[in-house]
Amino acid sequence: MRQFNMSGYATPGLDTVRIGIIGLGQRGPHHTRIMSTLEGVEIKALCDVRPEKVDAVKRQLAGTAHSPVLYSRHESEWKKLCERDDVDLVIITTPLYQHAEMAVYAMNHGKHVASEVPIACTIEDCWRLVETSERTRKHCMMLENYCYMEFQLLMLNMARQGVFGQLVHGDCAYIANKMQNNFSQSLYWEMWWLKLYAGNKGNVYPTHGLGPICQMMDINRGDRFDYLVSVESEDFGMAQQARELAACDDSFAPYANKDYRGNMNTTLIRTAKGRTIMVQHDPTTPSPHSLIHGIYGTKGAALYDPPPPRLSQGGHWASAEEFTALKEKYTPAISKKMGQLAKESGHGGSDLLIDWHLIDCLRNGLPLDQDVYDAATWSAVTPLSQWSVNNRSNSIEVPDFTTGAWKKNQPNMDISLERGGSTKVLT
């Protein structure tokens, strides 16, 4: 039963946002660097189970105004960070299976949460996040940075202005050759990604492609996921790679006889309004990085991958000149404001944009771009797709985490910067 509607909710503005960051492996140091350049931010605490990771990020902050308290060595140290009374926002960048527990604990201790993706691996955890956010009235946002990529923001603005007409279908994906990363013994803590792929079917990483499409379709804000089906190929590479490595290196022996997820997962979602979304995940074949990111409406279409990005009106792809004109007309204010500064931050500028706008909304007392219902809905694709794959691709209903509020909720993401936008980047 819904306790409070977090969609569109804003907390009182904070002059200074005091931050604690948990997880300093891959994404944590990157968020730390960006946050250290933003006006009105104090990095109060850092945590990682590995002391060398904490020490490295501490050195990264040398010469800045930030002098965080450090937590490391013991696996429960992150709880001490969440319990501090001088932290407003906890950023979680640990292995994804830890996100939900940490987010719930942080909210229960009076902290807003921003987590790397996905935020939950089970439907039960999705509901726990929703219940906790509603009860504590603390923000719970996924750091889905792909929603802030330049072309995705352009398409979102065009969709909101009706350029594509009624949206009918979206294609999205996260396809990238991660075999070398997955089998690296040093890149990920305790090779957690490889362990995740062993024994887990379905789309375990849906949100990069799915998030931008959901925002264009106003999912949870006028429409919602109704049900999905998921089909998956066999594994034609990971088990073989594990066996070959184990033959040369005994340390890979525990991975040699695992049942790995298939190479390609394809999940189809139907919405309450009758629209469809295809989301794919393939981290193992030698394919170029692709998000697909296609949108199809009654008046036009757009496609991001394969490059170059294209826009269509009237049944033909726009010429280079037409594309430039459309881009100049519909580039949203948030992209224009940050410009080249954002592009230099990584992931096409999305890394800076998501951190900057998160802080700006908290400082100006504005709703965040994504809420706990987005976090739960987008993440739920993982366990639901696994169920479908394990049940001969039968359909399964997607829970309505808004408990009916989707019919009246309004879009959160303010790309026009009609309010806020005052936080400076201190270069």
Side-chain angles (χ1 to χ4, degrees), residues 183 237-247 252-253 255-257 260:
F183 284 96
M238 295 195 76
Q240 179 180 343
Q241 177 84 344
R243 289 191 296 268
E244 291 174 356
L245 289 170
F252 284 99
Y255 305 101
N257 297 306
Y260 291 94

Side-chain angles (χ1 to χ4, degrees), residues 238 358 418:
M238 295 195 76
L358 166 62
E418 292 181 356

